Amino acid sequence: MKKLLLATLLVASSSQAMAQQEITFATEPSYPPFETTNVQGEIIGFDVDVANAICKQIDATCHFKGEAFDALIPSLIKHRGGFQAAIAAIDVTEARAKKVAFTVPYYDSTASFIGLDGKMKMDEVKKVGVQNGTTFQQYLVAQGDRFEIKPYASIQDAILDVKNGRIDAVFGDTVVLADSLKQEASLNFVGQRVNDAKFFGNGFAIAVNKGDKKLLAELNKGIELIKQNGEYQKIYDKWFAK
């Protein structure tokens, strides 16, 4: 009887441990190549592949759900939204690190401007579109009255407006904008890349609630492992080395 009880307890404990390895990641799926949706409506992208690779290394199962970018951190803080982590090309900043915990960075970032090809010089740029709630928006605000800032729910909406002449330029992550330029022959980079550690020079990382220390440690372990075994490089080459 005791052996049967012990066996039952072990099975229950094992099942509970397995259940704890279900991780739901929130992301903002209108930011290719980091995250977007395919024709089947599935969320795909660099961040999704990185998260799946991490989960494989830590024996977890990944799930993904779409959320507005500016809702990611508030939802993590209050444990709402049905997700335990956010992976959405989130720049690590001092201000954000006061609200949530970040893993080690998994991607280094810079920022750039794009505008109509051959029709705009950097010193002529005034009206700038930027995704709402991002560090790119914070950077523009910090420039004082240099720019007239127009926030957008998605980077694609901003690109549409720059093509139609409603704004002078779009400001965002260099790789994301470069990916957009592949489909937009009328647009090109304007000026030089921007690298300001206060806003977006510390890389992208996965965000979790500050109390989720075990999850944070597991995710950090997974990031280190995929960098060591070469899987990260394969994912990077898949999405960026084109």
Side-chain angles (χ1 to χ4, degrees):
M1 184 68 179
K2 289 183 178 180
K3 290 182 178 180
L4 178 60
L5 178 60
L6 178 60
T8 302
L9 289 173
L10 287 172
V11 170
S13 176
S14 176
S15 298
Q16 184 178 15
M18 289 177 66
Q20 291 174 345
Q21 290 299 314
E22 300 278 335
I23 306 172
T24 299
F25 290 85
T27 191
E28 197 281 290
S30 65
Y31 204 63
F34 290 96
E35 39 268 336
T36 188
T37 52
N38 60 18
V39 292
Q40 288 80 32
E42 301 166 325
I43 301 175
I44 62 170
F46 175 76
D47 281 351
V48 174
D49 284 359
V50 167
N52 277 319
I54 291 169
C55 285
K56 184 178 180 181
Q57 292 299 317
I58 62 175
D59 296 320
T61 301
C62 284
H63 304 284
F64 300 92
K65 65 176 299 184
E67 291 283 337
F69 187 85
D70 54 6
L72 294 174
I73 289 178
S75 295
L76 281 174
I77 293 171
K78 297 183 178 180
H79 281 295
R80 68 187 184 196
F83 58 91
Q84 297 78 49
I87 182 166
I90 305 174
D91 283 291
V92 178
T93 67
E94 184 178 347
R96 285 174 175 167
K98 291 178 181 178
K99 300 175 182 178
V100 294
F102 282 108
T103 62
V104 294
Y106 64 87
Y107 174 84
D108 295 325
S109 63
T110 62
S112 295
F113 292 87
I114 61 171
L116 290 173
D117 190 16
K119 295 185 178 181
M120 188 64 58
K121 296 180 180 179
M122 195 61 229
D123 58 2
E124 299 171 335
V125 171
K126 185 64 178 178
K127 297 179 181 180
V128 180
V130 66
Q131 187 171 18
N132 193 43
T134 62
T135 50
F136 305 109
Q137 183 183 29
Q138 294 171 17
Y139 172 83
L140 293 177
V141 171
Q143 307 313 302
D145 60 1
R146 168 66 180 84
F147 300 109
E148 183 181 323
I149 306 165
K150 185 173 181 181
Y152 292 84
S154 73
I155 202 75
Q156 285 81 5
D157 291 339
I159 289 172
L160 181 62
D161 268 7
V162 77
K163 287 172 61 180
N164 292 328
R166 298 187 184 99
I167 56 177
D168 300 327
V170 177
F171 185 62
D173 180 79
T174 301
V175 168
V176 171
L177 295 178
D179 187 71
S180 298
L181 292 181
K182 295 175 185 177
Q183 288 80 42
E184 304 293 348
S186 64
L187 303 178
N188 209 339
F189 286 108
V190 179
Q192 301 297 313
R193 291 186 182 185
V194 181
N195 193 337
D196 189 321
K198 182 178 179 181
F199 298 97
F200 38 73
N202 299 310
F204 296 164
I206 302 170
V208 301
N209 182 280
K210 279 185 173 290
D212 291 340
K213 299 185 186 303
K214 182 178 179 180
L215 175 59
L216 183 68
E218 286 290 293
L219 293 174
N220 277 331
K221 174 185 174 183
I223 292 171
E224 294 302 327
L225 286 172
I226 65 172
K227 287 187 175 181
Q228 290 172 10
N229 66 16
E231 188 61 28
Y232 177 87
Q233 190 61 49
K234 291 178 183 177
I235 297 169
Y236 185 92
D237 291 344
K238 171 185 174 181
W239 291 100
F240 303 127
K242 298 179 180 179

